[in-house]
Amino acid sequence: MTLRGAGDDDRTVPAGRSRRDLLLGLLGSLLAGLVVGTIGTFKHQVGISAATGTGLPIGLVLSLAMVVVFLVALRVSFATRWYAAAAAAGVVAAVALLSLPGASGGSTVVLLNIAGVVWTVAPAVLAAAVVGWPRIARRPRSAPAPDGILADDGTRRVDAEQDRRPGSSEQRTTE
């Protein structure tokens, strides 16, 4: 198991994809991030009384979970982190735009309470963590031999011995 650095998989266009497909995917990810950020911004106060500021912050918990699951799904689904980064930018942009003060001097969507402050900061922190997390490249595991010992090249020792014997199935197919 090896950890890949932040730029290891991001320098080129993914195999089999054109730049046009990449741009359309990035635009789609950005728009989806805007939608997720907007939904979370409008729903993060659910379960908290606007009058007293008390209550179980279920809306905040679910909104943050929605952001994390959405970004992790993009991060895991694609070989490049560009799509998750575009979606994260959309989420952060939606939260920032809807947190701006209105004509009354304060935001009408994001209240100045604990949930509002957490919602203003947490999506950006979570997005940076998800996008910046290194990809874990897993090596394929080979099955151990019946005695539990692998050959030097990682193959099962029994298979390697069969390939060396005259008349093995591999030698018959190549002759």
Side-chain angles (χ1 to χ4, degrees):
M1 182 180 340
T2 59
L3 293 177
R4 298 189 61 177
D8 289 348
D9 58 352
D10 300 333
R11 298 201 195 296
T12 60
V13 176
R17 302 242 166 135
S18 68
R19 292 200 185 275
R20 183 178 135 291
D21 291 343
L22 180 67
L23 258 38
L24 288 175
L26 291 175
L27 181 63
S29 295
L30 179 72
L31 292 174
L34 284 169
V35 169
V36 168
T38 301
I39 291 170
T41 302
F42 279 100
K43 294 298 180 182
H44 77 277
Q45 290 288 334
V46 171
I48 297 177
S49 170
T52 63
T54 60
L56 185 65
I58 191 70
L60 177 65
V61 172
L62 291 176
S63 295
L64 290 173
M66 176 179 60
V67 168
V68 169
V69 168
F70 171 62
L71 294 176
V72 166
L74 287 174
R75 182 73 176 93
V76 170
S77 296
F78 297 102
T80 180
R81 66 185 75 221
W82 285 105
Y83 299 111
V91 169
V92 171
V95 171
L97 288 174
L98 292 171
S99 298
L100 290 175
S104 64
S107 173
T108 57
V109 181
V110 180
L111 302 177
L112 185 59
N113 59 6
I114 296 295
V117 172
V118 169
W119 178 251
T120 304
V121 176
V125 172
L126 293 172
V130 170
V131 172
W133 196 264
R135 179 172 295 280
I136 298 174
R138 297 182 187 255
R139 290 179 285 175
R141 295 181 184 241
S142 58
D147 61 358
I149 300 173
L150 294 176
D152 291 337
D153 62 353
T155 60
R156 287 187 3 188
R157 202 165 80 186
V158 174
D159 292 341
E161 290 172 7
Q162 285 178 348
D163 290 341
R164 287 187 216 121
R165 276 192 247 141
S168 71
S169 62
E170 195 170 297
Q171 286 182 348
R172 275 185 253 139
T173 59
T174 58
E175 293 177 353

mmCIF file of all heavy atoms in Angstrom, residues 4-56:
data_model
loop_
_atom_site.group_PDB
_atom_site.id
_atom_site.type_symbol
_atom_site.label_atom_id
_atom_site.label_comp_id
_atom_site.label_asym_id
_atom_site.label_seq_id
_atom_site.Cartn_x
_atom_site.Cartn_y
_atom_site.Cartn_z
ATOM 1 N N ARG A 4 -0.195 8.159 -2.516
ATOM 2 C CA ARG A 4 0.170 9.002 -3.638
ATOM 3 C C ARG A 4 0.029 10.435 -3.218
ATOM 4 O O ARG A 4 -0.905 10.796 -2.535
ATOM 5 C CB ARG A 4 -0.738 8.696 -4.816
ATOM 6 C CG ARG A 4 -0.551 7.237 -5.263
ATOM 7 C CD ARG A 4 -1.249 6.976 -6.500
ATOM 8 N NE ARG A 4 -0.689 7.850 -7.532
ATOM 9 C CZ ARG A 4 -1.074 7.796 -8.772
ATOM 10 N NH1 ARG A 4 -1.970 6.957 -9.148
ATOM 11 N NH2 ARG A 4 -0.555 8.600 -9.664
ATOM 12 N N GLY A 5 0.942 11.268 -3.649
ATOM 13 C CA GLY A 5 0.945 12.680 -3.281
ATOM 14 C C GLY A 5 -0.171 13.448 -3.948
ATOM 15 O O GLY A 5 -0.906 12.935 -4.778
ATOM 16 N N ALA A 6 -0.271 14.707 -3.594
ATOM 17 C CA ALA A 6 -1.365 15.548 -4.066
ATOM 18 C C ALA A 6 -1.370 15.717 -5.577
ATOM 19 O O ALA A 6 -2.407 15.798 -6.185
ATOM 20 C CB ALA A 6 -1.294 16.915 -3.398
ATOM 21 N N GLY A 7 -0.224 15.749 -6.227
ATOM 22 C CA GLY A 7 -0.200 16.006 -7.655
ATOM 23 C C GLY A 7 0.079 14.789 -8.498
ATOM 24 O O GLY A 7 0.225 14.893 -9.705
ATOM 25 N N ASP A 8 0.148 13.597 -7.907
ATOM 26 C CA ASP A 8 0.532 12.411 -8.655
ATOM 27 C C ASP A 8 -0.440 12.050 -9.759
ATOM 28 O O ASP A 8 -0.045 11.573 -10.801
ATOM 29 C CB ASP A 8 0.674 11.199 -7.728
ATOM 30 C CG ASP A 8 1.887 11.307 -6.834
ATOM 31 O OD1 ASP A 8 2.727 12.197 -7.091
ATOM 32 O OD2 ASP A 8 1.995 10.517 -5.892
ATOM 33 N N ASP A 9 -1.727 12.237 -9.541
ATOM 34 C CA ASP A 9 -2.710 11.799 -10.518
ATOM 35 C C ASP A 9 -3.392 12.964 -11.236
ATOM 36 O O ASP A 9 -4.368 12.773 -11.915
ATOM 37 C CB ASP A 9 -3.763 10.918 -9.847
ATOM 38 C CG ASP A 9 -4.473 11.625 -8.711
ATOM 39 O OD1 ASP A 9 -4.041 12.730 -8.348
ATOM 40 O OD2 ASP A 9 -5.441 11.065 -8.192
ATOM 41 N N ASP A 10 -2.867 14.174 -11.110
ATOM 42 C CA ASP A 10 -3.583 15.333 -11.614
ATOM 43 C C ASP A 10 -2.894 16.069 -12.757
ATOM 44 O O ASP A 10 -3.353 17.102 -13.188
ATOM 45 C CB ASP A 10 -3.809 16.332 -10.475
ATOM 46 C CG ASP A 10 -4.623 15.725 -9.358
ATOM 47 O OD1 ASP A 10 -5.405 14.816 -9.645
ATOM 48 O OD2 ASP A 10 -4.449 16.158 -8.220
ATOM 49 N N ARG A 11 -1.805 15.583 -13.245
ATOM 50 C CA ARG A 11 -1.039 16.349 -14.222
ATOM 51 C C ARG A 11 -1.555 16.210 -15.656
ATOM 52 O O ARG A 11 -1.320 17.068 -16.472
ATOM 53 C CB ARG A 11 0.421 15.931 -14.172
ATOM 54 C CG ARG A 11 1.048 16.216 -12.828
ATOM 55 C CD ARG A 11 2.534 16.277 -12.951
ATOM 56 N NE ARG A 11 3.251 16.195 -11.702
ATOM 57 C CZ ARG A 11 3.223 17.048 -10.716
ATOM 58 N NH1 ARG A 11 2.438 18.075 -10.782
ATOM 59 N NH2 ARG A 11 3.925 16.888 -9.625
ATOM 60 N N THR A 12 -2.248 15.163 -15.971
ATOM 61 C CA THR A 12 -2.706 14.941 -17.334
ATOM 62 C C THR A 12 -4.204 14.690 -17.351
ATOM 63 O O THR A 12 -4.819 14.431 -16.334
ATOM 64 C CB THR A 12 -1.992 13.720 -17.960
ATOM 65 O OG1 THR A 12 -2.299 12.570 -17.169
ATOM 66 C CG2 THR A 12 -0.495 13.930 -18.019
ATOM 67 N N VAL A 13 -4.747 14.729 -18.562
ATOM 68 C CA VAL A 13 -6.144 14.401 -18.755
ATOM 69 C C VAL A 13 -6.282 12.893 -18.573
ATOM 70 O O VAL A 13 -5.447 12.137 -19.055
ATOM 71 C CB VAL A 13 -6.599 14.824 -20.174
ATOM 72 C CG1 VAL A 13 -8.024 14.395 -20.429
ATOM 73 C CG2 VAL A 13 -6.456 16.317 -20.340
ATOM 74 N N PRO A 14 -7.307 12.403 -17.859
ATOM 75 C CA PRO A 14 -7.461 10.968 -17.671
ATOM 76 C C PRO A 14 -7.514 10.229 -19.003
ATOM 77 O O PRO A 14 -7.997 10.762 -20.005
ATOM 78 C CB PRO A 14 -8.799 10.847 -16.929
ATOM 79 C CG PRO A 14 -8.988 12.168 -16.275
ATOM 80 C CD PRO A 14 -8.327 13.172 -17.173
ATOM 81 N N ALA A 15 -7.006 8.997 -19.016
ATOM 82 C CA ALA A 15 -6.929 8.201 -20.235
ATOM 83 C C ALA A 15 -8.315 8.033 -20.854
ATOM 84 O O ALA A 15 -9.285 7.757 -20.172
ATOM 85 C CB ALA A 15 -6.325 6.838 -19.924
ATOM 86 N N GLY A 16 -8.385 8.204 -22.160
ATOM 87 C CA GLY A 16 -9.642 8.022 -22.866
ATOM 88 C C GLY A 16 -10.577 9.219 -22.788
ATOM 89 O O GLY A 16 -11.709 9.129 -23.225
ATOM 90 N N ARG A 17 -10.137 10.307 -22.248
ATOM 91 C CA ARG A 17 -10.986 11.490 -22.126
ATOM 92 C C ARG A 17 -10.373 12.652 -22.884
ATOM 93 O O ARG A 17 -9.166 12.846 -22.860
ATOM 94 C CB ARG A 17 -11.135 11.890 -20.670
ATOM 95 C CG ARG A 17 -11.711 10.802 -19.815
ATOM 96 C CD ARG A 17 -12.990 11.276 -19.244
ATOM 97 N NE ARG A 17 -13.696 10.139 -18.699
ATOM 98 C CZ ARG A 17 -14.282 10.132 -17.541
ATOM 99 N NH1 ARG A 17 -14.239 11.194 -16.798
ATOM 100 N NH2 ARG A 17 -14.931 9.091 -17.131
ATOM 101 N N SER A 18 -11.214 13.426 -23.503
ATOM 102 C CA SER A 18 -10.728 14.608 -24.192
ATOM 103 C C SER A 18 -10.804 15.809 -23.254
ATOM 104 O O SER A 18 -11.428 15.750 -22.198
ATOM 105 C CB SER A 18 -11.566 14.862 -25.439
ATOM 106 O OG SER A 18 -12.876 15.253 -25.084
ATOM 107 N N ARG A 19 -10.192 16.871 -23.651
ATOM 108 C CA ARG A 19 -10.243 18.093 -22.830
ATOM 109 C C ARG A 19 -11.675 18.629 -22.740
ATOM 110 O O ARG A 19 -12.068 19.174 -21.726
ATOM 111 C CB ARG A 19 -9.314 19.146 -23.412
ATOM 112 C CG ARG A 19 -7.865 18.743 -23.280
ATOM 113 C CD ARG A 19 -6.973 19.961 -23.388
ATOM 114 N NE ARG A 19 -5.584 19.596 -23.384
ATOM 115 C CZ ARG A 19 -4.860 19.394 -22.288
ATOM 116 N NH1 ARG A 19 -5.424 19.506 -21.110
ATOM 117 N NH2 ARG A 19 -3.588 19.067 -22.357
ATOM 118 N N ARG A 20 -12.436 18.452 -23.804
ATOM 119 C CA ARG A 20 -13.826 18.899 -23.811
ATOM 120 C C ARG A 20 -14.626 18.130 -22.747
ATOM 121 O O ARG A 20 -15.409 18.718 -22.009
ATOM 122 C CB ARG A 20 -14.438 18.687 -25.190
ATOM 123 C CG ARG A 20 -15.867 19.186 -25.331
ATOM 124 C CD ARG A 20 -16.329 18.951 -26.767
ATOM 125 N NE ARG A 20 -17.625 18.390 -26.882
ATOM 126 C CZ ARG A 20 -18.055 17.178 -26.559
ATOM 127 N NH1 ARG A 20 -17.241 16.315 -26.051
ATOM 128 N NH2 ARG A 20 -19.282 16.804 -26.736
ATOM 129 N N ASP A 21 -14.421 16.817 -22.668
ATOM 130 C CA ASP A 21 -15.112 16.022 -21.656
ATOM 131 C C ASP A 21 -14.698 16.443 -20.252
ATOM 132 O O ASP A 21 -15.523 16.496 -19.340
ATOM 133 C CB ASP A 21 -14.808 14.534 -21.844
ATOM 134 C CG ASP A 21 -15.429 13.957 -23.098
ATOM 135 O OD1 ASP A 21 -16.344 14.599 -23.654
ATOM 136 O OD2 ASP A 21 -14.981 12.878 -23.536
ATOM 137 N N LEU A 22 -13.424 16.731 -20.085
ATOM 138 C CA LEU A 22 -12.932 17.176 -18.781
ATOM 139 C C LEU A 22 -13.574 18.500 -18.390
ATOM 140 O O LEU A 22 -14.037 18.666 -17.254
ATOM 141 C CB LEU A 22 -11.407 17.305 -18.796
ATOM 142 C CG LEU A 22 -10.761 17.765 -17.494
ATOM 143 C CD1 LEU A 22 -10.930 16.711 -16.412
ATOM 144 C CD2 LEU A 22 -9.290 18.052 -17.713
ATOM 145 N N LEU A 23 -13.648 19.442 -19.331
ATOM 146 C CA LEU A 23 -14.258 20.741 -19.035
ATOM 147 C C LEU A 23 -15.741 20.605 -18.713
ATOM 148 O O LEU A 23 -16.239 21.251 -17.782
ATOM 149 C CB LEU A 23 -14.065 21.701 -20.212
ATOM 150 C CG LEU A 23 -12.970 22.759 -20.094
ATOM 151 C CD1 LEU A 23 -11.745 22.279 -19.426
ATOM 152 C CD2 LEU A 23 -12.764 23.499 -21.339
ATOM 153 N N LEU A 24 -16.439 19.768 -19.460
ATOM 154 C CA LEU A 24 -17.861 19.554 -19.170
ATOM 155 C C LEU A 24 -18.051 18.888 -17.811
ATOM 156 O O LEU A 24 -18.968 19.236 -17.064
ATOM 157 C CB LEU A 24 -18.508 18.710 -20.268
ATOM 158 C CG LEU A 24 -18.719 19.407 -21.606
ATOM 159 C CD1 LEU A 24 -19.248 18.432 -22.645
ATOM 160 C CD2 LEU A 24 -19.669 20.582 -21.443
ATOM 161 N N GLY A 25 -17.188 17.949 -17.474
ATOM 162 C CA GLY A 25 -17.261 17.303 -16.163
ATOM 163 C C GLY A 25 -16.980 18.271 -15.033
ATOM 164 O O GLY A 25 -17.627 18.236 -13.989
ATOM 165 N N LEU A 26 -16.001 19.147 -15.247
ATOM 166 C CA LEU A 26 -15.687 20.148 -14.229
ATOM 167 C C LEU A 26 -16.836 21.122 -14.044
ATOM 168 O O LEU A 26 -17.176 21.495 -12.914
ATOM 169 C CB LEU A 26 -14.402 20.886 -14.588
ATOM 170 C CG LEU A 26 -13.114 20.071 -14.508
ATOM 171 C CD1 LEU A 26 -11.939 20.889 -15.017
ATOM 172 C CD2 LEU A 26 -12.877 19.584 -13.103
ATOM 173 N N LEU A 27 -17.447 21.537 -15.144
ATOM 174 C CA LEU A 27 -18.593 22.445 -15.061
ATOM 175 C C LEU A 27 -19.764 21.770 -14.348
ATOM 176 O O LEU A 27 -20.421 22.380 -13.487
ATOM 177 C CB LEU A 27 -19.010 22.909 -16.460
ATOM 178 C CG LEU A 27 -20.175 23.882 -16.519
ATOM 179 C CD1 LEU A 27 -19.817 25.173 -15.801
ATOM 180 C CD2 LEU A 27 -20.575 24.148 -17.949
ATOM 181 N N GLY A 28 -20.019 20.507 -14.679
ATOM 182 C CA GLY A 28 -21.082 19.761 -14.002
ATOM 183 C C GLY A 28 -20.812 19.602 -12.512
ATOM 184 O O GLY A 28 -21.712 19.721 -11.680
ATOM 185 N N SER A 29 -19.557 19.324 -12.168
ATOM 186 C CA SER A 29 -19.191 19.192 -10.752
ATOM 187 C C SER A 29 -19.362 20.511 -10.014
ATOM 188 O O SER A 29 -19.839 20.544 -8.872
ATOM 189 C CB SER A 29 -17.744 18.723 -10.626
ATOM 190 O OG SER A 29 -17.596 17.438 -11.153
ATOM 191 N N LEU A 30 -18.976 21.605 -10.651
ATOM 192 C CA LEU A 30 -19.131 22.931 -10.042
ATOM 193 C C LEU A 30 -20.606 23.241 -9.793
ATOM 194 O O LEU A 30 -20.983 23.697 -8.709
ATOM 195 C CB LEU A 30 -18.500 23.999 -10.928
ATOM 196 C CG LEU A 30 -18.602 25.429 -10.419
ATOM 197 C CD1 LEU A 30 -17.673 25.631 -9.239
ATOM 198 C CD2 LEU A 30 -18.280 26.407 -11.524
ATOM 199 N N LEU A 31 -21.439 22.979 -10.787
ATOM 200 C CA LEU A 31 -22.878 23.236 -10.625
ATOM 201 C C LEU A 31 -23.498 22.335 -9.558
ATOM 202 O O LEU A 31 -24.327 22.793 -8.758
ATOM 203 C CB LEU A 31 -23.599 23.060 -11.954
ATOM 204 C CG LEU A 31 -23.274 24.106 -13.019
ATOM 205 C CD1 LEU A 31 -23.939 23.754 -14.342
ATOM 206 C CD2 LEU A 31 -23.684 25.489 -12.552
ATOM 207 N N ALA A 32 -23.096 21.076 -9.522
ATOM 208 C CA ALA A 32 -23.613 20.172 -8.490
ATOM 209 C C ALA A 32 -23.153 20.637 -7.109
ATOM 210 O O ALA A 32 -23.915 20.563 -6.138
ATOM 211 C CB ALA A 32 -23.140 18.742 -8.761
ATOM 212 N N GLY A 33 -21.929 21.122 -7.004
ATOM 213 C CA GLY A 33 -21.438 21.665 -5.734
ATOM 214 C C GLY A 33 -22.231 22.888 -5.308
ATOM 215 O O GLY A 33 -22.514 23.069 -4.112
ATOM 216 N N LEU A 34 -22.582 23.739 -6.259
ATOM 217 C CA LEU A 34 -23.423 24.900 -5.938
ATOM 218 C C LEU A 34 -24.780 24.469 -5.385
ATOM 219 O O LEU A 34 -25.296 25.055 -4.429
ATOM 220 C CB LEU A 34 -23.615 25.781 -7.177
ATOM 221 C CG LEU A 34 -22.430 26.650 -7.586
ATOM 222 C CD1 LEU A 34 -22.658 27.258 -8.963
ATOM 223 C CD2 LEU A 34 -22.190 27.738 -6.556
ATOM 224 N N VAL A 35 -25.354 23.426 -5.981
ATOM 225 C CA VAL A 35 -26.647 22.924 -5.509
ATOM 226 C C VAL A 35 -26.519 22.349 -4.097
ATOM 227 O O VAL A 35 -27.333 22.645 -3.217
ATOM 228 C CB VAL A 35 -27.204 21.867 -6.487
ATOM 229 C CG1 VAL A 35 -28.400 21.135 -5.906
ATOM 230 C CG2 VAL A 35 -27.579 22.515 -7.809
ATOM 231 N N VAL A 36 -25.500 21.530 -3.861
ATOM 232 C CA VAL A 36 -25.301 20.940 -2.532
ATOM 233 C C VAL A 36 -25.061 22.030 -1.490
ATOM 234 O O VAL A 36 -25.625 21.995 -0.390
ATOM 235 C CB VAL A 36 -24.134 19.916 -2.568
ATOM 236 C CG1 VAL A 36 -23.710 19.508 -1.172
ATOM 237 C CG2 VAL A 36 -24.535 18.696 -3.375
ATOM 238 N N GLY A 37 -24.249 23.011 -1.817
ATOM 239 C CA GLY A 37 -23.996 24.110 -0.888
ATOM 240 C C GLY A 37 -25.232 24.933 -0.607
ATOM 241 O O GLY A 37 -25.456 25.369 0.532
ATOM 242 N N THR A 38 -26.053 25.153 -1.610
ATOM 243 C CA THR A 38 -27.288 25.923 -1.430
ATOM 244 C C THR A 38 -28.275 25.160 -0.555
ATOM 245 O O THR A 38 -28.879 25.735 0.369
ATOM 246 C CB THR A 38 -27.923 26.240 -2.800
ATOM 247 O OG1 THR A 38 -26.990 26.985 -3.575
ATOM 248 C CG2 THR A 38 -29.208 27.018 -2.643
ATOM 249 N N ILE A 39 -28.451 23.871 -0.824
ATOM 250 C CA ILE A 39 -29.362 23.066 0.000
ATOM 251 C C ILE A 39 -28.893 23.051 1.451
ATOM 252 O O ILE A 39 -29.684 23.237 2.374
ATOM 253 C CB ILE A 39 -29.478 21.632 -0.565
ATOM 254 C CG1 ILE A 39 -30.214 21.655 -1.904
ATOM 255 C CG2 ILE A 39 -30.201 20.716 0.421
ATOM 256 C CD1 ILE A 39 -30.170 20.328 -2.641
ATOM 257 N N GLY A 40 -27.605 22.824 1.652
ATOM 258 C CA GLY A 40 -27.068 22.811 3.013
ATOM 259 C C GLY A 40 -27.223 24.137 3.720
ATOM 260 O O GLY A 40 -27.508 24.188 4.921
ATOM 261 N N THR A 41 -27.045 25.230 2.978
ATOM 262 C CA THR A 41 -27.168 26.557 3.585
ATOM 263 C C THR A 41 -28.603 26.824 4.037
ATOM 264 O O THR A 41 -28.831 27.390 5.104
ATOM 265 C CB THR A 41 -26.708 27.646 2.598
ATOM 266 O OG1 THR A 41 -25.354 27.372 2.237
ATOM 267 C CG2 THR A 41 -26.785 29.021 3.215
ATOM 268 N N PHE A 42 -29.559 26.397 3.258
ATOM 269 C CA PHE A 42 -30.950 26.623 3.637
ATOM 270 C C PHE A 42 -31.443 25.650 4.697
ATOM 271 O O PHE A 42 -32.399 25.942 5.403
ATOM 272 C CB PHE A 42 -31.866 26.578 2.410
ATOM 273 C CG PHE A 42 -31.869 27.853 1.636
ATOM 274 C CD1 PHE A 42 -31.112 27.982 0.483
ATOM 275 C CD2 PHE A 42 -32.596 28.948 2.064
ATOM 276 C CE1 PHE A 42 -31.088 29.165 -0.235
ATOM 277 C CE2 PHE A 42 -32.587 30.138 1.355
ATOM 278 C CZ PHE A 42 -31.829 30.248 0.204
ATOM 279 N N LYS A 43 -30.802 24.502 4.837
ATOM 280 C CA LYS A 43 -31.288 23.482 5.767
ATOM 281 C C LYS A 43 -30.437 23.320 7.025
ATOM 282 O O LYS A 43 -30.783 22.537 7.901
ATOM 283 C CB LYS A 43 -31.378 22.119 5.056
ATOM 284 C CG LYS A 43 -32.425 22.090 3.964
ATOM 285 C CD LYS A 43 -33.782 22.344 4.566
ATOM 286 C CE LYS A 43 -34.870 22.323 3.530
ATOM 287 N NZ LYS A 43 -36.178 22.627 4.110
ATOM 288 N N HIS A 44 -29.333 24.030 7.162
ATOM 289 C CA HIS A 44 -28.459 23.803 8.313
ATOM 290 C C HIS A 44 -29.077 24.235 9.639
ATOM 291 O O HIS A 44 -28.632 23.812 10.692
ATOM 292 C CB HIS A 44 -27.094 24.485 8.107
ATOM 293 C CG HIS A 44 -27.107 25.953 8.332
ATOM 294 N ND1 HIS A 44 -27.501 26.836 7.356
ATOM 295 C CD2 HIS A 44 -26.780 26.690 9.415
ATOM 296 C CE1 HIS A 44 -27.420 28.060 7.839
ATOM 297 N NE2 HIS A 44 -26.984 28.009 9.086
ATOM 298 N N GLN A 45 -30.091 25.072 9.633
ATOM 299 C CA GLN A 45 -30.724 25.534 10.876
ATOM 300 C C GLN A 45 -31.872 24.632 11.329
ATOM 301 O O GLN A 45 -32.446 24.868 12.388
ATOM 302 C CB GLN A 45 -31.259 26.958 10.691
ATOM 303 C CG GLN A 45 -30.195 28.007 10.569
ATOM 304 C CD GLN A 45 -29.473 28.286 11.873
ATOM 305 O OE1 GLN A 45 -29.995 28.094 12.962
ATOM 306 N NE2 GLN A 45 -28.229 28.722 11.758
ATOM 307 N N VAL A 46 -32.197 23.601 10.564
ATOM 308 C CA VAL A 46 -33.311 22.721 10.929
ATOM 309 C C VAL A 46 -33.013 22.061 12.266
ATOM 310 O O VAL A 46 -31.931 21.541 12.496
ATOM 311 C CB VAL A 46 -33.538 21.646 9.839
ATOM 312 C CG1 VAL A 46 -34.527 20.595 10.294
ATOM 313 C CG2 VAL A 46 -34.003 22.295 8.554
ATOM 314 N N GLY A 47 -33.980 22.111 13.148
ATOM 315 C CA GLY A 47 -33.822 21.514 14.468
ATOM 316 C C GLY A 47 -33.303 22.485 15.503
ATOM 317 O O GLY A 47 -33.213 22.147 16.665
ATOM 318 N N ILE A 48 -32.964 23.693 15.104
ATOM 319 C CA ILE A 48 -32.497 24.711 16.042
ATOM 320 C C ILE A 48 -33.524 25.828 16.039
ATOM 321 O O ILE A 48 -33.906 26.332 14.991
ATOM 322 C CB ILE A 48 -31.122 25.256 15.629
ATOM 323 C CG1 ILE A 48 -30.090 24.140 15.675
ATOM 324 C CG2 ILE A 48 -30.703 26.410 16.521
ATOM 325 C CD1 ILE A 48 -28.729 24.560 15.210
ATOM 326 N N SER A 49 -33.962 26.221 17.199
ATOM 327 C CA SER A 49 -34.944 27.280 17.309
ATOM 328 C C SER A 49 -34.288 28.611 16.950
ATOM 329 O O SER A 49 -33.268 28.981 17.520
ATOM 330 C CB SER A 49 -35.504 27.339 18.731
ATOM 331 O OG SER A 49 -36.270 28.504 18.900
ATOM 332 N N ALA A 50 -34.872 29.331 16.021
ATOM 333 C CA ALA A 50 -34.338 30.637 15.630
ATOM 334 C C ALA A 50 -34.485 31.651 16.766
ATOM 335 O O ALA A 50 -33.681 32.573 16.895
ATOM 336 C CB ALA A 50 -35.037 31.147 14.382
ATOM 337 N N ALA A 51 -35.486 31.459 17.605
ATOM 338 C CA ALA A 51 -35.724 32.403 18.694
ATOM 339 C C ALA A 51 -34.743 32.202 19.844
ATOM 340 O O ALA A 51 -34.187 33.160 20.373
ATOM 341 C CB ALA A 51 -37.155 32.253 19.198
ATOM 342 N N THR A 52 -34.502 30.941 20.203
ATOM 343 C CA THR A 52 -33.656 30.683 21.367
ATOM 344 C C THR A 52 -32.267 30.171 20.999
ATOM 345 O O THR A 52 -31.353 30.228 21.816
ATOM 346 C CB THR A 52 -34.327 29.651 22.294
ATOM 347 O OG1 THR A 52 -34.450 28.409 21.587
ATOM 348 C CG2 THR A 52 -35.676 30.132 22.778
ATOM 349 N N GLY A 53 -32.109 29.640 19.799
ATOM 350 C CA GLY A 53 -30.817 29.091 19.392
ATOM 351 C C GLY A 53 -30.518 27.748 20.018
ATOM 352 O O GLY A 53 -29.390 27.285 19.977
ATOM 353 N N THR A 54 -31.534 27.113 20.603
ATOM 354 C CA THR A 54 -31.330 25.814 21.234
ATOM 355 C C THR A 54 -32.009 24.733 20.425
ATOM 356 O O THR A 54 -32.845 24.993 19.576
ATOM 357 C CB THR A 54 -31.889 25.797 22.664
ATOM 358 O OG1 THR A 54 -33.286 26.063 22.610
ATOM 359 C CG2 THR A 54 -31.195 26.831 23.539
ATOM 360 N N GLY A 55 -31.662 23.537 20.716
ATOM 361 C CA GLY A 55 -32.255 22.393 20.039
ATOM 362 C C GLY A 55 -31.164 21.540 19.410
ATOM 363 O O GLY A 55 -30.004 21.948 19.320
ATOM 364 N N LEU A 56 -31.538 20.376 18.993
ATOM 365 C CA LEU A 56 -30.604 19.447 18.380
ATOM 366 C C LEU A 56 -30.262 19.922 16.964
ATOM 367 O O LEU A 56 -31.161 20.115 16.144
ATOM 368 C CB LEU A 56 -31.216 18.045 18.334
ATOM 369 C CG LEU A 56 -30.335 16.937 17.825
ATOM 370 C CD1 LEU A 56 -29.166 16.724 18.781
ATOM 371 C CD2 LEU A 56 -31.120 15.655 17.695
#
